[in-house]
Amino acid sequence: MDAQSLKQYLADSPPTIVPLQIKPHFEALTDKEKLYAHWISVACFAGTRIVLRQVSPESEPLYDLIIALHKHTSGDWKALQETAGLSDDDLAAFLGYTAQFLGNLGNYKSFGDSKFIPRISPEKFHALASVSPTTKELWAKVQGRLYEGNTAGEMHLGYPDAGHVSTYYPDSGDITKEEIAVVSDFLEAKKLLPENTRLRKTGEGFEVLIASASKDPSAEERDLKESEWTLDGKLAGKKVKLVFGDHAVEMGKIADALKKAGEYAANDTERGMMKEYVKSFASGSLEAYKESQRYWIKDIGPAVETDIGFVETYRDPHGIRGEWEGFVATVNKERTAAFGKLVETAPSLIPLLPWGKDFEKDKFLSPDFTSLEVLTFAGSGIPAGINIPNYDDIRQNIGFKNVSLGNVLSAKSPNEPIPFIKASDLDVYNRCRDPAFEVQVGLHELLGHGCGKLLQETSPGVFNFDKSSPPTSPLDGQPIKSWYKPGQTWGSVFGPVAASYEECRAECVAMALSCDFSILKIFGFGDGTEDIDGAAGDILYAAYLSMARAGIAALEFWDPKSAKWGQAHMQARFSILRTFLNAGVEFCELEYTKEDLSDLTIRLERSKILSHGRPAVEKYLQQLHVYKATADVESGTKLYEEITGVEPFYRNKVRPAVLAAKTPRKVFVQANTAVEGEGATLKEYEPTAEGMIQSWVDRAYV
């Protein structure tokens, strides 16, 4: 790879390290609540090695190398520097890389799925890793994969047969996208859920690796009594075999910690939830896991909120296998009150969206919507908000929960530069971007992900709509012609495009509804009167500016070699920027005077948000929503791939300007808890690379 291309893959220098501040909120818990929070935190972080294995083959031994180097000199990095003969710059480059690695739990960016490589030279890194037999052994495992890949494709996560890296398909470099699809469709027909699985290609066929503490759960504990089949069709004669015990050591630690957490649960609902978690993680049963999620939804307004498991499927190129994550948090009551008002008014807000009642749930299932202060978030990255569970049958029939992560939203680094915003807009942007983002997160999670009905044939001959008089599509005025067949889900039908498409639909809901001043009033902005030039108008303008800016910055996460988007949310935001621009130059335009676009800024006309911006977003949203509701994968995929296609101007002009102006994404230093005597205590760390490493060293159970 040429030096210029390689620059974009260098580790951040320096990384932006911020503390996830939690102490006053943790201290406000009772002793019993602290112990409950502690043991679930242990369970969350006990899955660290699972995340590392899900990123790349080298991530787990690289983690061990970092911990071993710390232990060799008890964290005296200056002594290690002298022993290895490094300069101050060498040590800074190593520590910076380490902080970014630990902040992403792997050597591929959690937000973007592109590899980042050390700025310290291979020779200097080797010298550092030569200080003990243990570190030498670990260096031998990582050195071949730590730096530039053999091909540009290896610098990105994705399908192996496209030249990318994916450890969701371990030891299977020759597995094809078609083989993955055939096996996935076969297992779907068997009603085996895929989130806690990996898939390995063998000489005889395929092994479905199921995460479980037990390597041989009983037939009664399994979701399927059978465990081996012979395929027909395109892969006729190939075997498919279920293999239990993937990540067995980690799943055992997780189950043990959750058993202890159950002893400190506040009520029978929480105890039932912990019991089902333990059953699922011990046996590999995702039906037990779904039962834990039913309990979780019924655990309304807990002092300690948590969820844990194989949840989001963004990083599996096939879009069906989940990454391990878990969080523990306390409730911010003041912020939650505003979200509570939004929940109360949600049924009256959904009719404002651009589709009729036939494309909406018969009854809006009011979720528990809380603003949380995060104690622990284990996984490759920390989002600003969450809407789960992701199981359509639970969401449509029982409900879901929304959470906004307050101390994630408010975490900032000082003097953070803000490219692409005009100088004349900086005041309103700086004052209002955080509250605007909180409004956006609330609307995105509650109404965006919470709205909408999948039109289905729920079982043979049984429909959740009037089949004799099908709903009329608002797109063409004709009766709908497609729907979900028995056993099909949103994810299985829309496949790899599903995650980004759904994030885009939710973002568009937020952009459309934030134009309603009665909604802005719920969050404490204005009196509900339409006033684009007032305080509430400031919030709306900042929201649209933020989305446009995010759409430009999104190009960092598009790879020109593979023509592939590496981040679901950023692909979505790019499409919304294009929607703004398609509304006309009288509303939005990219402005610049220099050939290299180094002075690129967004001109977005505040006075035309309501007349031009909102209608453009609603038209796009209507298409996204109806195609999703009717399982029209052909039309939906065509629409989405066209608007997120990166044309030459964006590829050759805008993207280089974005890369030149990009700022490091934040990585968080998280606290640890420990049991002392009859209670649990908290330990926080300095927001430095050294503090980050120490926080992981102290998690001795990982």
Side-chain angles (χ1 to χ4, degrees):
M1 191 179 298
D2 64 272
Q4 190 60 36
S5 298
L6 197 60
K7 277 184 180 178
Q8 67 174 293
Y9 297 106
L10 291 173
D12 293 335
S13 178
T16 301
I17 305 171
V18 296
L20 198 60
Q21 296 177 329
I22 191 61
K23 188 171 185 178
H25 303 283
F26 181 79
E27 296 300 342
L29 298 175
T30 66
D31 288 345
K32 183 179 180 183
E33 290 164 350
K34 287 177 182 176
L35 286 164
Y36 182 64
H38 163 75
W39 284 113
I40 301 175
S41 291
V42 169
C44 292
F45 281 131
T48 293
R49 291 182 181 275
I50 300 174
V51 181
L52 293 164
R53 287 174 205 143
Q54 291 177 316
V55 175
S56 69
E58 64 271 21
S59 286
E60 188 176 9
L62 182 52
Y63 174 86
D64 288 331
L65 175 58
I66 293 165
I67 301 302
L69 285 169
H70 179 283
K71 290 182 176 179
H72 182 70
T73 55
S74 301
D76 187 343
W77 295 105
K78 294 301 288 184
L80 203 58
Q81 174 188 349
E82 290 177 16
T83 302
L86 305 187
S87 68
D88 289 346
D89 288 346
D90 292 333
L91 181 64
F94 166 76
L95 290 174
Y97 175 77
T98 296
Q100 190 172 355
F101 174 86
L102 294 173
N104 288 272
L105 275 193
N107 61 334
Y108 285 72
K109 293 178 181 178
S110 62
F111 202 82
D113 289 350
S114 62
K115 189 174 184 177
F116 54 95
I117 61 178
R119 289 176 181 265
I120 182 175
S121 71
E123 295 75 21
K124 298 288 188 179
F125 206 139
H126 184 200
L128 193 61
S130 299
V131 295
S132 76
T134 299
T135 57
K136 283 180 182 178
E137 184 180 334
L138 291 165
W139 172 256
K141 293 180 180 180
V142 303
Q143 62 175 332
R145 301 185 62 99
L146 200 57
Y147 288 84
E148 181 182 357
N150 293 320
T151 66
E154 291 179 10
M155 304 301 282
H156 298 267
L157 301 180
Y159 284 110
D161 66 342
H164 301 304
V165 171
S166 179
T167 45
Y168 286 93
Y169 307 95
D171 311 316
S172 306
D174 62 341
I175 195 170
T176 67
K177 181 178 179 179
E178 183 178 41
E179 288 171 332
I180 293 168
V182 169
V183 175
S184 298
D185 291 346
F186 175 80
L187 294 174
E188 180 187 320
K190 292 289 182 183
K191 293 186 166 42
L192 184 77
L193 295 167
E195 285 84 0
N196 66 343
T197 69
R198 297 193 292 169
L199 183 64
R200 176 186 286 141
K201 185 176 179 179
T202 67
E204 290 190 323
F206 304 90
E207 292 179 342
V208 181
L209 311 179
I210 297 177
S212 61
S214 172
K215 295 185 178 181
D216 186 25
S218 66
E220 291 70 32
E221 293 175 304
R222 300 177 184 183
D223 292 339
L224 286 179
K225 302 292 187 286
E226 307 163 90
S227 61
E228 191 169 337
W229 305 268
T230 301
L231 295 173
D232 52 22
K234 290 182 179 179
L235 298 177
K238 294 292 185 182
K239 303 281 189 185
V240 173
K241 181 180 181 182
L242 305 185
V243 178
F244 291 85
D246 200 18
H247 315 300
V249 172
E250 290 74 27
M251 299 307 291
K253 290 179 181 178
I254 291 162
D256 288 345
L258 292 172
K259 279 181 192 173
K260 292 176 181 173
E263 297 173 13
Y264 302 99
N267 51 53
D268 287 342
T269 301
E270 290 182 354
R271 278 186 282 275
M273 178 171 69
M274 292 299 135
K275 182 179 177 182
E276 295 299 330
Y277 276 142
V278 170
K279 187 187 300 183
S280 173
F281 300 148
S283 69
S285 167
L286 282 182
E287 292 302 330
Y289 183 73
K290 287 180 73 173
E291 190 61 27
S292 78
Q293 299 304 277
R294 295 184 182 100
Y295 276 111
W296 181 62
I297 292 163
K298 295 170 188 173
D299 189 24
I300 303 297
V304 176
E305 182 62 283
T306 182
D307 199 25
I308 185 171
F310 295 89
V311 182
E312 303 294 356
T313 59
Y314 302 128
R315 303 191 90 174
D316 169 25
H318 207 61
I320 61 172
R321 294 179 169 83
E323 185 175 51
W324 175 263
E325 70 175 45
F327 74 87
V328 184
T330 66
V331 176
N332 183 315
K333 293 179 181 177
E334 185 178 342
R335 279 178 169 153
T336 296
F339 288 133
K341 292 177 187 174
L342 187 64
V343 171
E344 288 172 14
T345 56
S348 66
L349 301 179
I350 287 176
L352 299 174
L353 295 167
W355 52 81
K357 58 183 177 62
D358 287 335
F359 294 88
E360 197 49 67
K361 296 182 182 76
D362 299 328
K363 181 183 178 184
F364 180 74
L365 298 168
S366 295
D368 189 17
F369 199 148
T370 50
S371 178
L372 302 177
E373 305 294 328
V374 176
L375 166 65
T376 295
F377 204 112
S380 63
I382 308 180
I386 306 170
N387 176 290
I388 40 180
N390 291 328
Y391 297 104
D392 291 328
D393 56 335
I394 296 178
R395 294 175 68 83
Q396 296 216 106
N397 300 318
I398 300 175
F400 52 92
K401 279 188 182 183
N402 291 273
V403 297
S404 171
L405 306 181
N407 55 344
V408 176
L409 283 165
S410 60
K412 274 194 187 57
S413 57
N415 306 314
E416 191 177 315
I418 305 168
F420 315 125
I421 298 295
K422 286 183 174 296
S424 57
D425 288 330
L426 278 173
D427 174 61
V428 68
Y429 183 83
N430 282 325
R431 282 191 295 107
C432 299
R433 64 172 168 168
D434 284 355
F437 191 48
E438 189 161 53
V439 171
Q440 182 187 335
V441 168
L443 294 172
H444 172 116
E445 301 294 352
L446 172 67
L447 294 170
H449 290 310
C451 73
K453 178 179 183 177
L454 301 182
L455 300 174
Q456 296 172 303
E457 183 179 1
T458 53
S459 58
V462 179
F463 299 82
N464 67 352
F465 62 94
D466 186 352
K467 176 67 165 48
S468 63
S469 180
T472 299
S473 167
L475 301 180
D476 60 10
Q478 299 297 312
I480 65 162
K481 300 177 180 63
S482 58
W483 49 83
Y484 293 84
K485 304 301 189 290
Q488 288 185 332
T489 65
W490 153 247
S492 71
V493 171
F494 276 73
V497 77
S500 183
Y501 187 109
E502 171 60 10
E503 292 304 331
C504 186
R505 194 186 68 88
E507 292 279 43
C508 287
V509 168
M511 297 315 295
L513 292 181
S514 60
C515 293
D516 192 295
F517 283 75
S518 65
I519 294 175
L520 295 174
K521 180 185 177 184
I522 292 171
F523 286 89
F525 306 115
D527 60 5
T529 305
E530 186 177 299
D531 181 8
I532 194 67
D533 295 316
D538 285 349
I539 300 297
L540 175 56
Y541 186 41
Y544 268 69
L545 279 175
S546 294
M547 181 58 71
R549 180 180 177 274
I552 295 174
L555 285 164
E556 176 190 342
F557 301 93
W558 181 82
D559 175 50
K561 295 279 195 307
S562 61
K564 174 181 180 292
W565 284 96
Q567 215 294 320
H569 297 79
M570 298 311 269
Q571 182 178 3
R573 289 162 187 165
F574 179 72
S575 80
I576 298 172
L577 168 67
R578 295 292 301 274
T579 302
F580 289 175
L581 294 169
N582 290 342
V585 294
E586 61 269 40
F587 173 56
C588 184
E589 189 176 23
L590 302 184
E591 294 187 337
Y592 53 91
T593 62
K594 298 180 179 178
E595 178 65 23
D596 64 356
L597 273 61
S598 58
D599 61 346
L600 177 67
T601 57
I602 301 154
R603 179 181 59 76
L604 192 146
E605 296 298 332
R606 178 173 179 150
S607 63
K608 291 187 168 56
I609 292 175
L610 301 179
S611 62
H612 289 66
R614 183 176 189 174
V617 169
E618 288 183 338
K619 180 182 177 182
Y620 180 37
L621 170 60
Q622 185 182 73
Q623 293 173 296
L624 291 168
H625 184 81
V626 171
Y627 294 147
K628 176 188 176 183
T630 59
D632 190 349
V633 62
E634 183 178 346
S635 299
T637 301
K638 182 173 184 288
L639 168 77
Y640 198 58
E641 290 184 345
E642 282 183 358
I643 199 167
T644 60
V646 179
E647 297 165 357
F649 170 70
Y650 295 99
R651 178 174 67 241
N652 301 327
K653 303 287 283 185
V654 180
R655 187 172 181 274
V658 168
L659 294 177
K662 73 174 183 176
T663 54
R665 187 169 175 82
K666 293 186 285 284
V667 292
F668 293 91
V669 179
Q670 299 185 50
N672 279 317
T673 54
V675 174
E676 290 189 8
E678 298 296 314
T681 59
L682 184 81
K683 180 179 179 181
E684 294 187 308
Y685 301 84
E686 289 295 317
T688 61
E690 293 88 341
M692 172 82 82
I693 298 167
Q694 186 65 57
S695 71
W696 284 101
V697 169
D698 288 349
R699 294 172 192 131
Y701 50 85
V702 171

